Amino acid sequence: MSKKVLMKGNEAIAEAAIKSGCLHFFGYPITPQTEISEYMAKRMPKVGGLCLQAESEISAINMIMGAAASGSRCLTSSSSPGISLKSEGISYIVGCDLPCVIVNVQRGGPGLGSIQPSQQDYYQATKANGHGDEHVIVLAPNSVQEMAQLTSEAFDLADIYRMPAMILADGSLGQMMEPVDFELGSKREIPEKTWATNGTYGKRKKNIINSLYMDPNELEKSVLARFERYAEVTDKEVKYEEYKCDDADIVIVAYGITSRIAKTAISAARAKGIKVGLLRPITLWPYPKKPLRALADTAKHFLVVEMNMGQMVDDVKVATECKKPVSFFGRTGGVIPAPAEILAEIEKIAGGLN
Amino acid sequence: MLKTLKNLQNLTVITGHFGSGKTNFAVNLAKAARQDGRDVTLIDMDIVNPYFRAADNRAELEALGVRCILPDFANTSVDIPSLPPEIFSAFEAYETETDRLTIFDVGGDNGAVALGMYNRFFAQYPYDLLYVINRYRPLTEEPADCAALLGEIEYYSRLKTTGIVNCSNLGAETTAEDVSSTIGWAKDVAERCSLPLLCTAALRELAGELETVPDLFPIENATKFPF
């Protein structure tokens, strides 16, 4: 009998969090990610943890700040509009240098938008989850297995670098069911949380966790120190997948569910003799600039495919130093591109490549 | 049509843990019963899942002559679990049309609460309530947990289960061994629930390797992934 289990992406995130030692979940229901809360409500009491449905997303993220300050591994999840509500709290958590994991199972926007899957929160996730000079580590799974695996890695990364890590998924990954093996989780060494406000027991000076600085020079110093850590993350933690790029004239750049659709289109294009490959960023922040820069020397054309209006295009242009043309194809507002539509774009580009 | 599924009552309700394979089974049962000459209606009563639902198979089912009744807002931009009044037609003129089969594809776990408003009809007419189980779904791996969930579903639906359907699968990765190794488990669940194990559903391409499995119901994958 297989040791794997069949799970929805949302459930896989929740179970992976529990297996990573997460003991606090704070959330507020919103389609298409509510299974995370539901699963946590069933499982957390059995592992001695806490699942709490807060009165709002804002409340949930601030509960996360408290739990994270105590040194506990904690998780919150939402979908696009709910993440917007959390943005103030995320900035405070960054300002306090606290680790936590935030899940965004994206849906169509803007506004209340749609419950259908989208990737319209790329800018928000990678550029500005909140105010101030801030970043969070952004991981983009493309299967239910990766929903589990990257959640496990997100907890480790958050603890190692004392910053929030985000799982940026979409509704289709949250809702679809695939087999999962939980033994593939992250097993990194985690530094002791000497900064946690978990009681001095009269044995040490008290820890203070705060994002307010009376002296602007002190605040500047804290931001600079944080950016040194960001440089380390950028240096060490980039993750990506290269697929059939060796001989590729056209390289598709796509993440999450769109990369799976792109692979189907790539097989169809290759059957027609068009050499197409895929560069899939797994970390969206830090961004895989180096492999893209290298591909700019071998490929003739880049095609960005997303479920938005082209939010990643500029990142590809910067990474490739605009050495080769970058086109875009996408559907938005909760519409999923079909493999045939991507194939048509590939053929259009191939036609122009002499 | 498999012998154990041939004589299902005109009103047949499919329930189970969410993600167990209810919709896949319901869609395949609808097709098989239609081919068997029954006048089939499939009612998507899932008020739990926003997408990947029976409604995705509508065109194919209607081409085969299966009538589909879907929630008002299935596969739209909103998550409003309102059920159409057309569902009441399933109970109309019940006694006069004996070759009818109306399949209720109910949402997982407490999604069975949606059946409550039709209770007065189920109290009048004979029905079958099938409990779909999947060994590879977390939280129902232990036969005791699986049996306990059945109690919950009966509580929410206010109906009594009449049979067990083993849908143990790992999605597209399922091997014949993954299926055959669950038979003992499925029998254990059925025994604990004091119910008959009606069939084991498995993908048609695995059927050749599963000849020894009793009451095998070969199915096609009805889940439509975007890739």
Side-chain angles (χ1 to χ4, degrees):
Chain A
M1 188 173 300
S2 175
K3 63 179 175 178
K4 291 185 180 182
V5 288
L6 184 69
M7 288 183 114
K8 275 197 177 194
N10 286 335
E11 296 174 311
I13 286 176
E15 183 59 33
I18 289 170
K19 285 198 161 48
S20 305
C22 170
L23 284 177
H24 294 100
F25 175 82
F26 305 106
Y28 187 81
I30 178 171
T31 305
Q33 64 79 53
T34 303
E35 290 84 2
I36 300 179
S37 296
E38 283 182 273
Y39 194 88
M40 286 299 196
K42 283 182 188 145
R43 282 277 283 142
M44 273 298 193
K46 291 185 180 165
V47 297
L50 173 75
C51 167
L52 195 150
Q53 180 173 321
E55 66 269 39
S56 72
E57 288 86 348
I58 299 170
S59 179
I61 192 71
N62 286 298
M63 289 174 183
I64 288 285
M65 180 152 64
S70 77
S72 161
R73 280 197 155 178
C74 50
L75 178 79
T76 187
S77 68
S78 193
S79 179
S80 309
I83 296 293
S84 294
L85 282 168
K86 288 181 193 291
S87 70
E88 181 198 44
I90 294 173
S91 177
Y92 277 55
I93 291 169
V94 169
C96 293
D97 294 313
L98 294 173
C100 67
V101 177
I102 301 158
V103 177
N104 181 0
V105 182
Q106 297 168 91
R107 54 186 266 173
L112 202 47
S114 162
I115 63 166
Q116 299 295 329
S118 103
Q119 297 179 323
Q120 290 171 275
D121 305 342
Y122 178 89
Y123 277 148
Q124 184 191 48
T126 60
K127 313 285 188 243
N129 271 294
H131 61 278
D133 284 313
E134 59 87 49
H135 281 296
V136 308
I137 294 167
V138 183
L139 301 158
N142 82 342
S143 64
V144 176
Q145 177 66 45
E146 277 195 359
M147 292 283 253
Q149 226 160 307
L150 294 180
T151 297
S152 161
E153 285 182 33
F155 275 103
D156 282 3
L157 289 167
D159 277 349
I160 291 168
Y161 296 102
R162 279 185 70 178
M163 61 187 288
M166 174 178 274
I167 301 293
L168 189 69
D170 72 88
S172 61
L173 284 166
Q175 292 299 326
M176 68 190 221
M177 297 188 72
E178 284 182 330
V180 191
D181 178 355
F182 284 100
E183 281 170 29
L184 299 169
S186 178
K187 291 175 182 77
R188 292 173 67 162
E189 202 170 311
I190 305 304
E192 203 193 329
K193 294 178 176 176
T194 53
W195 45 264
T197 52
N198 50 3
T200 65
Y201 300 96
K203 285 179 182 160
R204 59 163 171 81
K205 251 182 85 186
K206 66 179 177 185
N207 287 329
I208 293 173
I209 286 171
N210 176 34
S211 70
L212 173 69
Y213 290 81
M214 302 305 279
D215 176 356
N217 290 303
E218 287 299 310
L219 176 55
E220 184 186 47
K221 226 189 275 177
S222 81
V223 174
L224 292 175
R226 197 168 297 121
F227 269 71
E228 272 173 36
R229 261 182 295 139
Y230 289 167
E232 198 184 335
V233 175
T234 307
D235 193 38
K236 293 184 185 164
E237 305 296 350
V238 170
K239 282 173 91 85
Y240 60 92
E241 179 200 353
E242 268 190 35
Y243 175 75
K244 297 188 175 178
C245 282
D246 289 348
D247 64 342
D249 291 328
I250 301 167
V251 171
I252 293 180
V253 190
Y255 54 89
I257 193 70
T258 317
S259 68
R260 303 265 300 259
I261 306 167
K263 277 187 182 176
T264 307
I266 288 168
S267 300
R270 285 204 169 249
K272 292 184 170 194
I274 309 170
K275 290 174 182 167
V276 193
L278 171 75
L279 186 290
R280 170 169 78 99
I282 298 172
T283 51
L284 297 179
W285 193 93
Y287 197 70
K289 285 184 185 162
K290 279 183 196 163
L292 273 165
R293 174 62 192 82
L295 286 171
D297 289 333
T298 56
K300 294 176 183 162
H301 201 113
F302 290 88
L303 170 63
V304 176
V305 183
E306 295 177 272
M307 296 197 292
N308 61 40
M309 291 302 289
Q311 297 186 19
M312 190 171 65
V313 169
D314 285 348
D315 282 341
V316 175
K317 284 184 178 170
V318 169
T320 57
E321 295 167 10
C322 294
K323 286 191 181 296
K324 298 288 160 64
V326 180
S327 318
F328 172 73
F329 176 73
R331 299 296 302 264
T332 192
V335 182
I336 305 177
E341 291 176 308
I342 301 173
L343 177 62
E345 285 302 308
I346 294 170
E347 288 181 305
K348 206 159 77 185
I349 294 165
L353 291 179
N354 60 64
Chain B
M1 185 61 147
L2 192 64
K3 203 168 71 219
T4 52
L5 300 176
K6 204 173 171 58
N7 298 315
L8 288 172
Q9 296 290 350
N10 289 11
L11 301 174
T12 291
V13 183
I14 318 289
T15 61
H17 180 36
F18 96 106
S20 53
K22 293 179 300 299
T23 295
N24 243 305
F25 176 73
V27 168
N28 278 280
L29 178 64
K31 285 193 211 166
R34 184 75 199 100
Q35 276 154 15
D36 213 33
R38 289 182 83 165
D39 179 8
V40 182
T41 299
L42 176 64
I43 305 180
D44 177 351
M45 270 181 64
D46 189 338
I47 54 164
V48 179
N49 289 294
Y51 22 93
F52 300 126
R53 47 192 309 148
D56 300 348
N57 294 276
R58 180 184 197 160
E60 196 186 336
L61 288 167
E62 286 181 346
L64 292 172
V66 174
R67 179 175 164 227
C68 297
I69 302 179
L70 311 174
D72 297 322
F73 297 96
N75 288 344
T76 67
S77 277
V78 291
D79 198 5
I80 298 174
S82 81
L83 297 167
E86 212 186 338
I87 291 178
F88 288 106
S89 67
F91 306 100
E92 258 176 27
Y94 178 84
E95 282 151 299
T96 57
E97 297 176 64
T98 50
D99 64 340
R100 269 163 66 163
L101 175 67
T102 303
I103 301 167
F104 296 79
D105 178 25
V106 180
D109 300 7
N110 52 12
V113 77
L115 288 164
M117 71 180 292
Y118 310 102
N119 194 266
R120 59 194 152 113
F121 299 108
F122 285 112
Q124 283 175 52
Y125 305 123
Y127 63 86
D128 270 306
L129 180 81
L130 310 186
Y131 181 49
V132 176
I133 59 174
N134 179 354
R135 165 66 184 74
Y136 299 101
R137 283 289 290 154
L139 310 182
T140 57
E141 292 148 310
E142 294 303 322
D145 292 338
C146 212
L149 181 66
L150 175 85
E152 239 177 83
I153 288 172
E154 289 188 335
Y155 169 79
Y156 282 112
S157 66
R158 292 188 269 155
L159 300 175
K160 281 280 161 216
T161 317
T162 57
I164 305 269
V165 171
N166 178 24
C167 258
S168 292
N169 79 91
L170 276 168
E173 280 184 27
T174 316
T175 65
E177 206 264 326
D178 291 336
V179 177
S180 58
S181 59
T182 64
I183 305 305
W185 171 84
K187 282 182 182 160
D188 189 351
V189 175
E191 246 166 63
R192 278 166 198 268
C193 301
S194 309
L195 289 167
L197 176 60
L198 294 181
C199 68
T200 291
L203 289 173
R204 197 175 295 281
E205 53 264 36
L206 303 175
E209 297 169 72
L210 293 170
E211 278 163 1
T212 57
V213 169
D215 302 314
L216 186 75
F217 182 52
I219 60 170
E220 271 138 37
N221 179 22
T223 313
K224 312 282 186 219
F225 285 143
F227 41 84

